[in-house]
PDB file of all heavy atoms in Angstrom:
ATOM      1  N   ILE A  18       1.690   1.367   0.987  1.00  0.00           N
ATOM      2  CA  ILE A  18       2.518   2.545   1.177  1.00  0.00           C
ATOM      3  C   ILE A  18       3.512   2.639   0.009  1.00  0.00           C
ATOM      4  O   ILE A  18       3.663   3.675  -0.614  1.00  0.00           O
ATOM      5  CB  ILE A  18       3.293   2.494   2.478  1.00  0.00           C
ATOM      6  CG1 ILE A  18       2.371   2.678   3.649  1.00  0.00           C
ATOM      7  CG2 ILE A  18       4.411   3.510   2.533  1.00  0.00           C
ATOM      8  CD1 ILE A  18       2.983   2.552   5.097  1.00  0.00           C
ATOM      9  N   LEU A  30       9.816   6.303 -12.610  1.00  0.00           N
ATOM     10  CA  LEU A  30      10.144   4.930 -12.246  1.00  0.00           C
ATOM     11  C   LEU A  30       9.338   3.991 -13.198  1.00  0.00           C
ATOM     12  O   LEU A  30       8.198   4.187 -13.491  1.00  0.00           O
ATOM     13  CB  LEU A  30       9.694   4.616 -10.878  1.00  0.00           C
ATOM     14  CG  LEU A  30      10.554   5.104  -9.611  1.00  0.00           C
ATOM     15  CD1 LEU A  30       9.837   4.867  -8.344  1.00  0.00           C
ATOM     16  CD2 LEU A  30      11.875   4.412  -9.709  1.00  0.00           C
ATOM     17  N   LEU A  31       9.997   3.039 -13.789  1.00  0.00           N
ATOM     18  CA  LEU A  31       9.352   2.017 -14.596  1.00  0.00           C
ATOM     19  C   LEU A  31      10.034   0.691 -14.398  1.00  0.00           C
ATOM     20  O   LEU A  31      11.162   0.635 -13.904  1.00  0.00           O
ATOM     21  CB  LEU A  31       9.408   2.414 -16.039  1.00  0.00           C
ATOM     22  CG  LEU A  31      10.779   2.514 -16.755  1.00  0.00           C
ATOM     23  CD1 LEU A  31      10.762   1.910 -18.080  1.00  0.00           C
ATOM     24  CD2 LEU A  31      11.178   4.020 -16.824  1.00  0.00           C
ATOM     25  N   SER A  61       6.031  -3.618 -25.494  1.00  0.00           N
ATOM     26  CA  SER A  61       7.400  -3.471 -25.489  1.00  0.00           C
ATOM     27  C   SER A  61       7.874  -2.011 -25.284  1.00  0.00           C
ATOM     28  O   SER A  61       7.280  -1.066 -25.892  1.00  0.00           O
ATOM     29  CB  SER A  61       8.039  -3.985 -26.846  1.00  0.00           C
ATOM     30  OG  SER A  61       9.347  -3.581 -26.878  1.00  0.00           O
ATOM     31  N   SER A  80      23.350  -6.861 -18.467  1.00  0.00           N
ATOM     32  CA  SER A  80      24.150  -7.013 -17.366  1.00  0.00           C
ATOM     33  C   SER A  80      23.429  -6.946 -16.067  1.00  0.00           C
ATOM     34  O   SER A  80      23.822  -7.586 -15.051  1.00  0.00           O
ATOM     35  CB  SER A  80      25.383  -6.038 -17.435  1.00  0.00           C
ATOM     36  OG  SER A  80      25.231  -4.992 -16.604  1.00  0.00           O
ATOM     37  N   ARG A  93      25.848  13.412 -18.629  1.00  0.00           N
ATOM     38  CA  ARG A  93      27.067  13.875 -19.455  1.00  0.00           C
ATOM     39  C   ARG A  93      27.131  13.259 -20.783  1.00  0.00           C
ATOM     40  O   ARG A  93      27.445  13.808 -21.818  1.00  0.00           O
ATOM     41  CB  ARG A  93      28.344  13.614 -18.627  1.00  0.00           C
ATOM     42  CG  ARG A  93      28.742  14.713 -17.706  1.00  0.00           C
ATOM     43  CD  ARG A  93      30.031  14.341 -17.019  1.00  0.00           C
ATOM     44  NE  ARG A  93      31.095  14.089 -18.027  1.00  0.00           N
ATOM     45  CZ  ARG A  93      32.312  13.823 -17.808  1.00  0.00           C
ATOM     46  NH1 ARG A  93      32.742  13.704 -16.606  1.00  0.00           N
ATOM     47  NH2 ARG A  93      33.162  13.669 -18.748  1.00  0.00           N
ATOM     48  N   ASP A 112      16.239  21.409 -25.634  1.00  0.00           N
ATOM     49  CA  ASP A 112      15.215  20.711 -26.452  1.00  0.00           C
ATOM     50  C   ASP A 112      14.498  19.631 -25.627  1.00  0.00           C
ATOM     51  O   ASP A 112      13.422  19.351 -25.827  1.00  0.00           O
ATOM     52  CB  ASP A 112      15.982  20.047 -27.599  1.00  0.00           C
ATOM     53  CG  ASP A 112      16.419  21.028 -28.587  1.00  0.00           C
ATOM     54  OD1 ASP A 112      15.988  22.205 -28.572  1.00  0.00           O
ATOM     55  OD2 ASP A 112      17.236  20.681 -29.455  1.00  0.00           O
ATOM     56  N   SER A 119      19.246   5.491 -13.865  1.00  0.00           N
ATOM     57  CA  SER A 119      19.954   4.282 -13.332  1.00  0.00           C
ATOM     58  C   SER A 119      19.072   3.092 -13.446  1.00  0.00           C
ATOM     59  O   SER A 119      17.810   3.294 -13.530  1.00  0.00           O
ATOM     60  CB  SER A 119      20.458   4.452 -11.988  1.00  0.00           C
ATOM     61  OG  SER A 119      19.381   4.744 -11.123  1.00  0.00           O
ATOM     62  N   ARG A 124      14.348  -8.989  -7.922  1.00  0.00           N
ATOM     63  CA  ARG A 124      14.448 -10.403  -7.824  1.00  0.00           C
ATOM     64  C   ARG A 124      13.135 -11.037  -7.363  1.00  0.00           C
ATOM     65  O   ARG A 124      12.315 -10.420  -6.646  1.00  0.00           O
ATOM     66  CB  ARG A 124      15.544 -10.734  -6.788  1.00  0.00           C
ATOM     67  CG  ARG A 124      16.907 -10.274  -7.223  1.00  0.00           C
ATOM     68  CD  ARG A 124      17.949 -10.400  -6.097  1.00  0.00           C
ATOM     69  NE  ARG A 124      19.159  -9.734  -6.473  1.00  0.00           N
ATOM     70  CZ  ARG A 124      20.157 -10.405  -7.073  1.00  0.00           C
ATOM     71  NH1 ARG A 124      20.143 -11.653  -7.265  1.00  0.00           N
ATOM     72  NH2 ARG A 124      21.320  -9.693  -7.382  1.00  0.00           N
ATOM     73  N   VAL A 143      20.090  21.657 -12.866  1.00  0.00           N
ATOM     74  CA  VAL A 143      21.461  21.456 -12.493  1.00  0.00           C
ATOM     75  C   VAL A 143      22.360  21.714 -13.707  1.00  0.00           C
ATOM     76  O   VAL A 143      23.393  22.476 -13.677  1.00  0.00           O
ATOM     77  CB  VAL A 143      21.801  20.153 -11.906  1.00  0.00           C
ATOM     78  CG1 VAL A 143      23.228  20.063 -11.498  1.00  0.00           C
ATOM     79  CG2 VAL A 143      20.892  19.888 -10.658  1.00  0.00           C
ATOM     80  N   GLU A 177      46.727  18.495 -29.361  1.00  0.00           N
ATOM     81  CA  GLU A 177      46.746  17.117 -29.339  1.00  0.00           C
ATOM     82  C   GLU A 177      45.975  16.487 -30.457  1.00  0.00           C
ATOM     83  O   GLU A 177      46.439  15.502 -31.153  1.00  0.00           O
ATOM     84  CB  GLU A 177      46.217  16.525 -27.988  1.00  0.00           C
ATOM     85  CG  GLU A 177      46.680  15.141 -27.700  1.00  0.00           C
ATOM     86  CD  GLU A 177      45.732  14.445 -26.722  1.00  0.00           C
ATOM     87  OE1 GLU A 177      45.078  15.092 -25.870  1.00  0.00           O
ATOM     88  OE2 GLU A 177      45.442  13.247 -26.935  1.00  0.00           O
ATOM     89  N   LEU A 189      47.318  32.917 -33.714  1.00  0.00           N
ATOM     90  CA  LEU A 189      47.643  34.342 -33.928  1.00  0.00           C
ATOM     91  C   LEU A 189      47.719  35.001 -32.582  1.00  0.00           C
ATOM     92  O   LEU A 189      46.865  34.761 -31.718  1.00  0.00           O
ATOM     93  CB  LEU A 189      46.543  35.010 -34.729  1.00  0.00           C
ATOM     94  CG  LEU A 189      46.189  34.493 -36.085  1.00  0.00           C
ATOM     95  CD1 LEU A 189      45.248  35.445 -36.790  1.00  0.00           C
ATOM     96  CD2 LEU A 189      47.383  34.136 -36.970  1.00  0.00           C
ATOM     97  N   LEU A 212      38.344  48.250 -27.419  1.00  0.00           N
ATOM     98  CA  LEU A 212      38.606  46.785 -27.287  1.00  0.00           C
ATOM     99  C   LEU A 212      37.403  45.999 -27.801  1.00  0.00           C
ATOM    100  O   LEU A 212      37.481  44.948 -28.513  1.00  0.00           O
ATOM    101  CB  LEU A 212      38.932  46.392 -25.844  1.00  0.00           C
ATOM    102  CG  LEU A 212      40.194  46.932 -25.331  1.00  0.00           C
ATOM    103  CD1 LEU A 212      40.359  46.594 -23.773  1.00  0.00           C
ATOM    104  CD2 LEU A 212      41.411  46.346 -26.015  1.00  0.00           C
ATOM    105  N   LYS A 225      33.662  30.150 -37.326  1.00  0.00           N
ATOM    106  CA  LYS A 225      33.042  29.740 -36.071  1.00  0.00           C
ATOM    107  C   LYS A 225      33.965  28.809 -35.329  1.00  0.00           C
ATOM    108  O   LYS A 225      33.985  28.777 -34.100  1.00  0.00           O
ATOM    109  CB  LYS A 225      31.760  28.968 -36.357  1.00  0.00           C
ATOM    110  CG  LYS A 225      30.491  29.757 -36.068  1.00  0.00           C
ATOM    111  CD  LYS A 225      29.352  28.849 -35.666  1.00  0.00           C
ATOM    112  CE  LYS A 225      28.403  29.491 -34.747  1.00  0.00           C
ATOM    113  NZ  LYS A 225      27.098  29.652 -35.197  1.00  0.00           N
ATOM    114  N   GLU A 246      49.949  27.812 -42.367  1.00  0.00           N
ATOM    115  CA  GLU A 246      50.606  29.037 -42.108  1.00  0.00           C
ATOM    116  C   GLU A 246      50.186  30.112 -43.098  1.00  0.00           C
ATOM    117  O   GLU A 246      49.868  31.229 -42.766  1.00  0.00           O
ATOM    118  CB  GLU A 246      52.098  28.812 -42.186  1.00  0.00           C
ATOM    119  CG  GLU A 246      52.869  30.032 -41.813  1.00  0.00           C
ATOM    120  CD  GLU A 246      54.306  29.649 -41.455  1.00  0.00           C
ATOM    121  OE1 GLU A 246      54.819  28.558 -41.798  1.00  0.00           O
ATOM    122  OE2 GLU A 246      54.963  30.524 -40.827  1.00  0.00           O
ATOM    123  N   TYR A 302      56.519  40.134 -31.435  1.00  0.00           N
ATOM    124  CA  TYR A 302      57.644  41.058 -31.066  1.00  0.00           C
ATOM    125  C   TYR A 302      58.319  41.650 -32.299  1.00  0.00           C
ATOM    126  O   TYR A 302      58.469  42.828 -32.369  1.00  0.00           O
ATOM    127  CB  TYR A 302      58.589  40.371 -30.213  1.00  0.00           C
ATOM    128  CG  TYR A 302      59.723  41.281 -29.727  1.00  0.00           C
ATOM    129  CD1 TYR A 302      59.511  42.199 -28.708  1.00  0.00           C
ATOM    130  CD2 TYR A 302      61.002  41.166 -30.224  1.00  0.00           C
ATOM    131  CE1 TYR A 302      60.526  43.002 -28.246  1.00  0.00           C
ATOM    132  CE2 TYR A 302      61.978  41.976 -29.743  1.00  0.00           C
ATOM    133  CZ  TYR A 302      61.783  42.935 -28.762  1.00  0.00           C
ATOM    134  OH  TYR A 302      62.781  43.711 -28.376  1.00  0.00           O
TER     135      TYR A 302
END
Side-chain angles (χ1 to χ4, degrees):
Chain A
I18 290 175
L30 284 173
L31 61 140
S61 164
S80 103
R93 270 183 59 179
D112 289 344
S119 56
R124 295 168 190 270
V143 179
E177 201 205 324
L189 306 189
L212 290 176
K225 256 210 150 117
E246 185 160 18
Y302 181 74

